Amino acid sequence: MRDAAPKTIYLKDYTPFGYTAQSVHLRFKLAPKATRVISRIAFAPNPDATDKSFFLHGEQLDLKWAKINGEAITPQISEEGLSCDAPDEPFIFEAEVEISPETNTALEGLYMSGGMYCTQCEAEGFRKITYYPDRPDVMSTFTVRVEGPHPVLLSNGNPGDSGDGFAEWHDPWPKPAYLFALVAGDLVAHPDRFTTMSGKDVDLNIYVRAGDEDKCAFGMEALKKSMIWDEKVYGREYDLDIFNIVAVDDFNMGAMENKGLNVFNSSCVLASPETSTDSNFERIEAIIAHEYFHNWTGNRITCRDWFQLCLKEGLTVYRDSQFTSDLRSAPVKRISDVIDLRGRQFAEDGGPLAHPVRPGSFVEINNFYTATVYEKGAEVIGMLKTLVGDEAYAKALDLYFDRHDGQACTIEDWLQVFEEVTGRNLKRFKRWYTSAGTPRLHVKESYKNGRYKLTFRQETPPTPGQPQKKPRVIPIAVGLLGVDGKEIVATQVLEMSKRQQSFKWEGLSAKPTPSILRGFSAPVILERDTDDAQRAFLLAHDTDPFNRWEAGRELAKSTLLAMIETGAAPSAGYLDGMLAVLRDDTLDPATRALMLGLPSQSDLTQILADKGVTSDPQAIYDAVQTLKLAMAQHMQDTLPRIYAACQVTGPYSPEAEPAGKRALANAVLALGSRLDGGKAAQEQYDSADNMTQQLSALACLLQENVGDAALAKFYQQWKHDRLVMDKWFGLQVSYAAPEDTAKVAETLTQHADFDHKNPNRFRATLGALAMHHAGFHHISGKGYTLLADWLITLDPLNPQTTARMCSAFQTWKRYDAGRQTMMKAEIERILAQPSLSRDTTEMLTRILAA
């Protein structure tokens, strides 16, 4: 365990390393508790560096010997690394260390998962493998020899010599250490081939454990689709002779883009109709695309330092969103992305963990793999593309790739290519990268004598360390609708750059209804004076799919807030509007399914908090359940028709059209189950031939508290499949009554199949508890105590997963004094643990300081 004492690192203090790494040769002699790593690194003085001190990162390494130019040296060793004198000329550094993969439960560096060796080096895991300048701006070619009694021995790059008990690999493309990868084990390959646009043949493989071979086909097709798309849309071609993916059960993240050897959490690559839902298939497709797209936006061009993490992650998230939009439904993808952004990133922006897309400081970089860096980082790319236009965006990207290939870059490098291509000054736009918080966009409208005016005012609330906010450049996509509902002004992008700004339209015969922020053209909170009649009008007539969904969502919020605050009955206007949506066959089923969804209970809590109202989680839960029942009753004559019309016959396909039909059918089933007590759900469960239908039916049965028999049957059917069992664990917690949630979760942690060392199982169970708003925040405080107990247990083993789960406490000040006291006590109890990790210490200290 590293020293938990906080040591803040600042962007302003960046200096280049004193030496460049010309080449790296590594030899691994694998053994579970005593792997030997022999390194041979060619260094040369860095002409761009003034500090020539020679320090190599290293943690939990047993150094056997070290040499410079063949001469033995006795370096100084600390908990953080190795230092010694170095020549002021090119030299060779050699060392041998011993590490213990079998006891590495943190899943950083080289560790073991079910007898398989694998690595995870981003962000700073390579320093647990050998002594090296473990920073992204030190890039080098790697040649690796892996020795061990395993049928499969893999590393980055192209294969070289191999034989009994060894394999050699060479990666000709310079890369930082965080992209190093090694996998060794008894694995089975699912092979294929791809021919690039220039005619280069590439071998493709997905390596899995025996028994998982039937779950690789979809992932392979997703990989090939990604390769084709990147060639067609961005002109980027794959650059090695081979591309390997490996499925690993124990993995802290979703996947890792290591050059030529992507390591995936098994849940993010293995799929079959029997074991995976439609959402699993879409997620797998997107994650495979994301990691492949990193080959250029992250690998060939990487980030200079970890403060620039959004440079590779925001851009690649944006690219994978484009990919999914092109392959599936663009409106559905956009709406889904915004739901996720508001649910996770807006909460982050509005609380103690707020930080800029490019933070100015950190204690533990693992804590900054956040929705702000990823999702908001992608939104910033989207805004930039909206402002400069598609053609300029394409030219700027081409210049970026040409100029910076093989380099470690900064946000300044990224914006510079856009300034050169467009002639624009992006100084104000850069504030999206440097300023934390979600801007609030206030709008007023006026109409007189044919002239219509919209006046916008932007403000961003204070965030930790940034009390004052300057105005940002905000692209506001606007359309105008006439009194008959027809569009009289097509979408225009208004560019706001001041704190307050007005925009006018002339020659209008009547006051229009504005459709503002179409496509969610900027990640802001829109605040405008409107009423349910105007929302219903937009729901019925808006030509922008996102804003039509948004109007329905605003109606739902208005209805629920009235129910929570005044005890009002569900709004007839909302119920009529949703019935019209359900009956509207011009809308694709997937869009209708999304529109029938309600705001999250956490969102409602935040809305009330913004109004100065301290809400009761149980009251919010009750209002949501009441509204869902009212919707079911209001739609009961239509539900059977829609359910029947959306039944998919023939062989299962995860493609967008049948998946959309199943989504709407299952949304309807969930409503109908509130009326028939789960009768139709039981029928669907009994006849289901794919996991989407089976799991959706089981959820409905649990919702109606009649699912015990089906739950037991599901366990017996799938207890052999670890990924399906994650679903079984999570579903029980998610559908528990608030008063029972903590008890259900606690019981499951005592189940023989619960393994807290496996991140997927831990997140499925305790993550579901944290996401169950009324259950986690039950007045008893049992949810707080249970989660804290398990975070204390997990932290010594896996600090990364522990720290990320601590975010469940980030909104502790939104609640009443009793809940605040209980949450604060649990935070302080965790912080009081001896030898608490630096990861968890930083997260909870920031949360507590709010």
Side-chain angles (χ1 to χ4, degrees):
M1 187 67 62
R2 288 175 293 186
D3 182 5
K7 178 183 177 182
T8 304
I9 300 169
Y10 295 94
L11 170 61
K12 62 181 176 62
D13 294 336
Y14 169 82
T15 57
F17 184 54
Y19 298 84
T20 60
Q22 305 294 300
S23 64
V24 177
H25 288 74
L26 300 173
R27 181 183 178 188
F28 288 81
K29 297 179 179 181
L30 298 176
K33 293 182 179 178
T35 289
R36 292 292 181 103
V37 184
I38 299 98
S39 60
R40 186 177 188 273
I41 308 164
F43 286 108
N46 184 353
D48 296 327
T50 56
D51 182 1
K52 291 298 192 292
S53 58
F54 187 69
F55 173 80
L56 304 181
H57 297 100
E59 295 180 5
Q60 302 170 28
L61 305 176
D62 181 3
L63 178 66
K64 299 303 180 182
W65 54 262
K67 298 178 182 179
I68 288 182
N69 290 335
E71 296 291 330
I73 61 172
T74 304
Q76 293 181 314
I77 303 296
S78 70
E79 290 185 355
E80 295 184 343
L82 171 158
S83 59
C84 64
D85 293 332
D88 191 20
E89 61 184 9
F91 65 94
I92 302 297
F93 173 86
E94 298 172 274
E96 181 175 1
V97 302
E98 183 175 286
I99 56 178
S100 178
E102 188 174 78
T103 58
N104 181 2
T105 60
L107 312 184
E108 286 183 291
L110 178 65
Y111 65 94
M112 299 192 75
S113 174
M116 180 199 329
Y117 292 86
C118 54
T119 56
Q120 170 54 30
C121 293
E122 187 176 357
E124 297 176 340
F126 192 78
R127 62 191 62 186
K128 293 185 176 182
I129 293 175
T130 193
Y131 288 105
Y132 192 78
D134 188 9
R135 41 189 291 168
D137 58 344
V138 177
M139 302 174 71
S140 183
T141 58
F142 279 66
T143 301
V144 180
R145 179 183 173 96
V146 188
E147 300 174 3
H150 311 284
V152 174
L153 301 168
L154 304 173
S155 191
N156 306 86
N158 295 321
D161 193 14
S162 63
D164 186 18
F166 81 94
E168 295 179 350
W169 295 82
H170 176 65
D171 187 353
W173 301 102
K175 66 173 179 285
Y178 82 84
L179 290 171
F180 171 79
L182 180 152
V183 171
D186 189 1
L187 302 169
V188 181
H190 178 90
D192 209 326
R193 288 178 70 80
F194 180 80
T195 302
T196 69
M197 59 185 178
S198 67
K200 178 184 178 69
D201 289 329
V202 181
D203 291 327
L204 309 177
N205 296 287
I206 297 179
Y207 284 94
V208 297
R209 299 183 188 278
D212 286 334
E213 302 94 320
D214 61 338
K215 299 177 183 178
C216 298
F218 180 80
M220 183 62 77
E221 288 306 307
L223 173 59
K224 291 191 289 186
K225 288 178 181 178
S226 304
M227 298 174 84
I228 292 169
W229 186 89
D230 211 19
E231 289 182 346
K232 179 181 178 182
V233 178
Y234 280 85
R236 298 299 104 193
E237 183 176 359
Y238 188 62
D239 52 11
L240 290 171
D241 300 333
I242 192 168
F243 188 93
N244 291 322
I245 289 175
V246 181
V248 177
D249 286 351
D250 301 287
F251 203 69
N252 283 332
M253 302 183 181
M256 181 60 208
E257 71 267 18
N258 318 296
K259 184 73 177 180
L261 178 55
N262 285 190
V263 178
F264 271 66
N265 188 312
S266 297
S267 67
C268 298
V269 66
L270 301 181
S272 71
E274 296 78 20
T275 61
S276 307
T277 64
D278 289 333
S279 59
N280 292 150
F281 277 102
E282 183 173 341
R283 179 170 181 257
I284 287 168
E285 184 178 70
I287 292 176
I288 286 176
H290 179 95
E291 305 308 334
Y292 174 75
F293 296 157
H294 264 313
N295 187 60
W296 276 92
T297 50
N299 298 0
R300 288 284 287 264
I301 304 177
T302 191
C303 43
R304 186 196 70 179
D305 51 70
W306 288 120
F307 296 100
Q308 320 294 330
L309 181 60
C310 60
L311 180 64
K312 73 182 185 77
E313 294 300 347
L315 178 54
T316 306
V317 169
Y318 181 71
R319 278 161 35 83
D320 81 54
S321 292
Q322 286 181 293
F323 170 78
T324 299
S325 295
D326 286 351
L327 264 63
R328 295 177 177 269
S329 166
V332 169
K333 175 59 176 170
R334 187 60 184 142
I335 293 167
S336 300
D337 283 350
V338 174
I339 291 173
D340 182 58
L341 183 79
R342 288 172 170 170
R344 298 194 304 120
Q345 198 282 317
F346 278 22
E348 199 167 82
D349 252 353
L353 300 180
H355 61 275
V357 173
R358 182 174 71 178
S361 66
F362 61 77
V363 172
E364 174 52 66
I365 184 55
N366 288 327
N367 290 337
F368 282 85
Y369 282 74
T370 62
T372 297
V373 168
Y374 280 68
E375 279 70 33
K376 189 172 182 178
E379 292 293 322
V380 175
I381 304 294
M383 285 190 290
L384 186 56
K385 184 172 184 285
T386 297
L387 289 168
V388 305
D390 293 350
E391 184 178 350
Y393 175 82
K395 289 181 179 179
L397 265 292
D398 286 342
L399 178 58
Y400 178 67
F401 292 128
D402 291 343
R403 176 178 294 174
H404 296 297
D405 187 12
Q407 297 180 9
C409 296
T410 65
I411 292 302
E412 285 74 17
D413 296 323
W414 164 252
L415 293 176
Q416 178 65 31
V417 298
F418 281 88
E419 290 187 329
E420 290 184 22
V421 166
T422 65
R424 295 175 62 111
N425 184 330
L426 296 176
K427 182 179 179 180
R428 286 194 176 186
F429 183 82
K430 185 180 174 182
R431 291 172 186 164
W432 282 104
Y433 285 106
T434 59
S435 182
T438 303
R440 293 177 178 268
L441 191 62
H442 303 266
V443 58
K444 297 288 185 181
E445 58 180 325
S446 65
Y447 174 80
K448 185 176 182 181
N449 299 327
R451 174 181 291 181
Y452 180 69
K453 182 171 72 172
L454 288 175
T455 299
F456 296 95
R457 177 174 58 86
Q458 60 168 298
E459 63 172 354
T460 305
T463 57
Q466 292 187 336
Q468 301 296 325
K469 308 288 185 177
K470 293 182 179 180
R472 310 184 199 187
V473 176
I474 302 177
I476 308 168
V478 173
L480 301 181
L481 304 178
V483 292
D484 58 358
K486 294 181 180 179
E487 191 167 82
I488 55 175
V489 174
T491 303
Q492 299 177 353
V493 177
L494 313 177
E495 185 173 333
M496 184 180 186
S497 58
K498 301 177 182 178
R499 199 168 299 278
Q500 182 166 309
Q501 219 163 328
S502 297
F503 302 88
K504 301 174 182 178
W505 291 264
E506 305 278 356
L508 301 182
S509 59
K511 182 182 179 182
T513 297
S515 172
I516 303 173
L517 214 64
R518 285 185 158 183
F520 200 64
S521 57
V524 301
I525 296 173
L526 181 64
E527 297 193 349
R528 56 186 291 204
D529 294 329
T530 187
D531 55 26
D532 284 354
Q534 191 174 56
R535 297 181 186 116
F537 179 86
L538 290 169
L539 175 63
H541 301 292
D542 205 326
T543 56
D544 179 69
F546 175 83
N547 269 7
R548 189 172 181 189
W549 168 83
E550 181 81 310
R553 179 58 59 104
E554 290 301 314
L555 271 174
K557 289 178 182 177
S558 173
T559 297
L560 284 164
L561 291 175
M563 294 170 67
I564 294 163
E565 293 185 277
T566 68
S571 161
Y574 175 73
L575 297 176
D576 287 342
M578 288 299 103
L579 179 59
V581 166
L582 184 63
R583 290 172 171 171
D584 188 352
D585 292 332
T586 66
L587 285 173
D588 69 85
T591 300
R592 279 185 274 173
L594 275 176
M595 293 182 75
L596 289 174
L598 295 178
S600 75
Q601 294 170 48
S602 181
D603 284 349
L604 294 168
T605 301
Q606 185 60 55
I607 293 169
L608 289 166
D610 290 342
K611 295 171 61 177
V613 176
T614 301
S615 58
D616 177 3
Q618 183 66 47
I620 293 176
Y621 175 87
D622 292 341
V624 169
Q625 300 307 312
T626 299
L627 182 55
K628 287 181 177 179
L629 177 60
M631 290 171 67
Q633 293 169 336
H634 197 70
M635 299 173 177
Q636 59 183 314
D637 294 337
T638 304
L639 294 177
R641 177 183 72 80
I642 300 298
Y643 183 75
C646 288
Q647 295 305 300
V648 180
T649 58
Y652 174 88
S653 168
E655 298 301 316
E657 183 178 350
K661 287 185 176 181
R662 284 189 291 269
L664 183 54
N666 288 323
V668 164
L669 182 68
L671 289 171
S673 294
R674 295 175 183 274
L675 303 178
D676 71 1
K679 180 180 178 182
Q682 186 66 59
E683 293 175 359
Q684 177 169 306
Y685 182 88
D686 293 337
S687 63
D689 63 356
N690 63 77
M691 183 53 66
T692 301
Q693 298 303 86
Q694 188 178 22
L695 202 69
S696 295
L698 179 58
C700 292
L701 295 173
L702 292 175
Q703 167 192 288
E704 298 308 309
N705 202 27
V706 293
D708 288 350
L711 201 62
K713 183 179 179 182
F714 189 92
Y715 176 80
Q716 291 302 320
Q717 181 182 0
W718 295 113
K719 61 184 178 180
H720 65 282
D721 191 299
R722 59 207 184 278
L723 298 181
V724 177
M725 279 294 93
D726 289 336
K727 297 176 172 64
W728 184 81
F729 273 84
L731 206 64
Q732 294 177 71
V733 180
S734 297
Y735 282 89
E739 64 272 18
D740 299 329
T741 308
K743 182 61 177 177
V744 170
E746 182 180 22
T747 301
L748 287 170
T749 62
Q750 298 165 5
H751 194 280
D753 292 332
F754 179 76
D755 179 7
H756 68 282
K757 295 180 182 178
N758 178 267
N760 288 349
R761 192 58 49 87
F762 189 89
R763 286 188 289 254
T765 310
L766 280 308
L769 168 66
M771 292 294 291
H772 192 311
H773 185 259
F776 181 60
H777 294 289
H778 188 262
I779 192 64
S780 65
K782 292 179 180 178
Y784 308 146
T785 301
L786 180 63
L787 182 60
D789 286 345
W790 278 104
L791 294 179
I792 290 169
T793 299
L794 186 64
D795 184 72
L797 304 173
N798 190 330
Q800 276 194 40
T801 298
T802 305
R804 287 172 185 164
M805 289 288 290
C806 287
S807 62
F809 291 107
Q810 70 177 317
T811 58
W812 68 283
K813 286 195 173 179
R814 289 195 315 196
Y815 299 93
D816 58 82
R819 289 181 171 89
Q820 284 191 35
T821 299
M822 289 187 288
M823 278 190 275
K824 184 180 180 183
E826 297 302 339
I827 294 170
E828 291 175 337
R829 180 164 69 94
I830 300 171
L831 281 170
Q833 299 303 306
S835 301
L836 193 69
S837 71
R838 192 168 67 200
D839 310 57
T840 302
T841 298
E842 181 190 21
M843 287 289 282
L844 291 179
T845 300
R846 290 167 63 197
I847 288 171
L848 201 58

